[in-house]
Amino acid sequence: MRAVYLDHQSATPVLPEVMEAMRPFFAEAYGNPSSLHRHGLLARDALARARSQIAAFINAESPEEILFTADSTEAANLAIKGAAEANRRNGNHIILSQIEHPSLIASTEMLETRGFTTTRVKVDAQGAIDLQDIAGAITEKTILLAVHHTNHEIGTIEPVREIGALARARGVLFYVDADASAGWLPLDARDWNASLLSFSPQRFYGPKGVGVLYQNRRAALAAILHGGDQERGLRPGVENVPAIVGAGAAAEIAGREIAQRSAHCARLQKRLWEGLRARIPHLKLNGPEPGPRRHPATLNISSEFIEGEGQLLLCDMQGIAVASGSSCVSKSRQSSHVLAAIGVDPALARGNIIMSLGRDNTEGEVDYVIETFPKIVAKLRALSPTWEEHEKGLIASVIRPA
Amino acid sequence: MSPTPALYNPTVLDHFLNPRNVGDVQEADGIGEAAQSNGGDTLRMSLKIKEGKIAEARFRAFGCAAAIASSSIATELIEGMTLEQARRFSNRQVVEALGGLPAAKIQCSLLASQALRAALDDYNKKQPARPRPGEPIR
């Protein structure tokens, strides 16, 4: 059976070059970077090199501004809780958008129980944040703006450069969650005036088990874990040296290949969307049309009158790996807060499938999906009571023309 | 690598991939719908009832694989049941016949018994009122 992997926003294969770079740090150069003998110094050297590679990847001023965590969720927790704690005397108000990743939203919810307040600015029907809404939400108590570069579900690219300029003008820290875009779109901490910026290499051909947090030297941060001096005391605990080395290698390769990678994916993304749209009636694209406002590798589609999990399972049986944000698939059983925020009908949100392309996908694979997916939708619609009612003219489609 | 693990057991997968009794009973004696409040899962069940027994059951489902498989196996299980037995039919029988569902999916099987009860209520409503034997005379 054909195998087509279209879930690169969940995980990517580790590149052979990245694995090769990591390999010595398991059984040969296994020292603890805090040790003062040659084994330790070797590991410490490797961390320094990875820090430089990451600093170059995001255009940081200095490698000293790069912190390593266990993953991007931990990096987001450290960014939000650490910035809130360290800047408490300046205020207690945090601004973020309604469609941020749960690691940001839940971190601010936790802070709300400790005397902080939060404003969640709305987004438009494509998931875009309006700069005016952020400007209007800033008060003298505001200490932090937290916004993602691109949305993890619907691929909207946010105006981070403009938001960063606003943050600078108003003297507020600016945290960019770049987890969904790192490796697919260029990141520029300096140009965006980011105080903090996070991502993890597992979404762009690096290993799992490592996250990156950029901390501008002027941005104060407090630790959320305690008990060690590693990462300037901001992330105590022995460093995951092989994964950090892998993160550096993956970032260096991504930096070289990024234009080619995103152009390749954008071409396939357009082909996939146009192919599916032409073959499936009542199909909705969630988020912006493929183009400059959308992540080049992701599609988020809702097939009306059917649910997401069945589509995912039938895809899997045809060798096609996709994701769904639908409530019954995810462990939480809650509908996607992102789709709700952009006004997607709840039943349509349940029929949601996310396809995320990668550098190794081919036109042939995309054509196989274009040929197979409509059959899956048709099979499930044949079981659906709402599809039958729609076919009889008893109910109308809720999809509005874009 | 170890063999590919599966989300559902083979019985559940079989009923999801090859659902039995899909559609609507012609000139149904009872039609019932059940829906989950989370804006999605809907099940419609229609019944043909002959001589106090379920002669035919059909379904249409908007829902996850567990919901579809539960509906499919429920229609098989209830065919031939007396109305009394059908009234007592619960999702436990569905889950048991499927050989178990993941814990988070148990509630997806509830729709089957709910839609069946709604269909039986619909049937009862359509029956002309008549005195039951043994009822006290007023």
Side-chain angles (χ1 to χ4, degrees):
Chain A
M1 185 179 59
R2 207 159 180 165
V4 181
Y5 185 78
L6 291 186
D7 197 12
H8 292 82
Q9 280 289 305
S10 296
T12 49
V14 175
L15 288 178
E17 304 95 295
V18 173
M19 256 166 86
E20 216 34 64
M22 293 169 69
R23 194 184 307 279
F25 295 93
F26 287 101
E28 295 157 45
Y30 50 82
N32 184 325
S34 298
S35 298
L36 299 179
H37 44 65
R38 68 191 67 190
H39 305 281
L41 298 179
L42 208 59
R44 195 183 302 187
D45 230 39
L47 294 190
R49 180 171 150 73
R51 246 183 266 283
S52 298
Q53 289 167 313
I54 301 279
F57 178 60
I58 63 170
N59 193 26
E61 223 166 290
S62 146
E64 302 307 313
E65 294 174 312
I66 306 301
L67 300 169
F68 293 108
T69 65
D71 53 35
S72 50
T73 295
E74 191 196 306
N77 272 258
L78 176 55
I80 293 203
K81 295 175 191 170
E85 179 63 31
N87 296 282
R88 193 167 199 144
R89 63 191 164 81
N90 300 326
N92 67 342
H93 181 233
I94 298 166
I95 300 170
L96 68 169
S97 86
Q98 283 181 340
I99 60 170
E100 298 301 320
H101 189 269
S103 55
L104 281 78
I105 293 180
S107 291
T108 57
E109 282 169 352
M110 179 271 181
L111 288 170
E112 283 170 0
T113 69
R114 313 272 168 107
F116 288 88
T117 61
T118 307
T119 301
R120 295 194 179 91
V121 297
K122 64 173 169 48
V123 293
D124 70 14
Q126 308 300 326
I129 299 166
D130 187 336
L131 200 61
Q132 293 311 313
D133 289 337
I134 293 200
I138 297 176
T139 73
E140 56 186 24
K141 295 276 191 196
T142 307
I143 49 174
L144 177 66
L145 296 181
V147 167
H148 47 27
H149 180 212
T150 69
N151 184 267
H152 51 287
E153 286 186 30
I154 57 172
T156 315
I157 300 174
E158 303 294 354
V160 284
R161 191 170 190 275
E162 290 72 19
I163 298 172
L166 176 68
R168 185 190 201 112
R170 304 289 292 266
V172 178
L173 292 178
F174 179 39
Y175 164 42
V176 182
D177 167 17
D179 205 35
S181 59
W184 305 99
L185 292 167
L187 309 181
D188 196 326
R190 266 190 276 183
D191 182 50
W192 299 348
N193 187 48
S195 317
L196 301 157
L197 182 150
S198 66
F199 62 89
S200 97
Q202 63 122 352
R203 292 201 192 206
F204 57 93
Y205 306 98
K208 300 171 185 67
V210 56
V212 172
L213 178 60
Y214 159 85
Q215 179 202 8
N216 183 284
R217 62 180 71 202
R218 286 172 294 278
L221 204 57
I224 58 171
L225 300 175
H226 303 89
D229 296 327
Q230 291 90 348
E231 303 300 286
R232 292 187 272 116
L234 286 167
R235 205 288 172 170
V238 177
E239 301 88 343
N240 184 353
V241 179
I244 291 170
V245 168
E252 193 181 302
I253 297 167
R256 270 200 315 265
E257 290 186 356
I258 201 159
Q260 192 188 330
R261 245 180 229 182
S262 30
H264 171 71
C265 288
R267 241 187 336 267
L268 297 183
Q269 179 196 48
K270 192 162 175 284
R271 187 182 185 91
L272 182 57
W273 168 233
E274 286 175 356
L276 294 176
R277 173 164 57 181
R279 283 165 184 79
I280 303 173
H282 308 296
L283 183 71
K284 181 182 187 300
L285 176 70
N286 299 312
E289 288 275 328
R293 294 185 57 214
R294 186 177 187 103
H295 190 296
T298 71
L299 277 186
N300 184 322
I301 51 176
S302 285
S303 303
E304 197 172 5
F305 311 112
I306 55 174
E307 201 262 356
E309 189 206 53
Q311 299 173 61
L312 187 155
L313 273 179
L314 289 172
C315 279
D316 193 32
M317 283 171 185
Q318 301 301 318
I320 304 168
V322 297
S324 172
S326 130
S327 63
C328 231
V329 182
S330 57
K331 289 174 198 143
S332 67
R333 291 196 61 84
Q334 284 180 347
S335 298
S336 154
H337 69 287
V338 176
L339 296 183
I342 63 168
V344 175
D345 177 89
L348 260 184
R350 295 287 313 278
N352 150 263
I353 287 288
I354 300 171
M355 299 181 178
S356 47
L357 295 147
R359 55 172 239 165
D360 299 324
N361 288 129
T362 63
E363 269 188 17
E365 289 180 341
V366 165
D367 290 347
Y368 172 67
V369 176
I370 292 171
E371 182 200 326
T372 309
F373 193 67
K375 295 179 194 160
I376 288 170
V377 171
K379 179 176 165 82
L380 290 170
R381 280 180 174 168
L383 306 180
S384 164
T386 48
W387 173 252
E388 192 240 5
E389 284 164 18
H390 175 266
E391 289 301 275
K392 279 189 181 162
L394 298 173
I395 56 171
S397 166
V398 297
I399 300 176
R400 301 274 161 267
Chain B
M1 288 221 199
S2 45
T4 312
L7 217 50
Y8 294 111
N9 73 43
T11 310
V12 179
L13 280 180
D14 177 39
H15 277 271
F16 165 61
L17 291 172
N18 312 297
R20 331 292 200 255
N21 303 317
V22 175
D24 301 276
V25 172
Q26 296 303 307
E27 288 161 29
D29 296 312
I31 300 175
E33 276 204 8
Q36 265 181 355
S37 53
N38 62 357
D41 284 20
T42 312
L43 172 61
R44 185 204 301 159
M45 197 177 279
S46 53
L47 305 174
K48 191 87 209 162
I49 292 169
K50 277 182 192 154
E51 294 158 11
K53 285 185 176 175
I54 295 179
E56 205 183 332
R58 293 274 183 278
F59 82 95
R60 284 185 193 275
F62 172 113
C64 66
I68 290 169
S70 297
S71 311
S72 165
I73 208 162
T75 57
E76 283 195 332
L77 291 171
I78 61 174
E79 274 189 10
M81 276 189 183
T82 65
L83 296 182
E84 188 99 339
Q85 289 169 322
R87 277 248 157 238
R88 289 198 308 266
F89 185 76
S90 82
N91 82 307
R92 222 170 314 151
Q93 288 159 273
V94 171
V95 176
E96 212 176 85
L98 285 173
L101 281 173
K105 292 289 185 175
I106 297 287
Q107 65 168 302
C108 305
S109 69
L110 285 169
L111 287 182
S113 49
Q114 289 167 355
L116 170 61
R117 214 149 302 150
L120 291 172
D121 288 345
D122 181 51
Y123 168 74
N124 282 345
K125 249 189 302 175
K126 287 175 180 162
Q127 300 310 302
R130 56 173 180 207
R132 285 186 223 160
E135 219 168 64
I137 300 162
R138 296 176 201 217

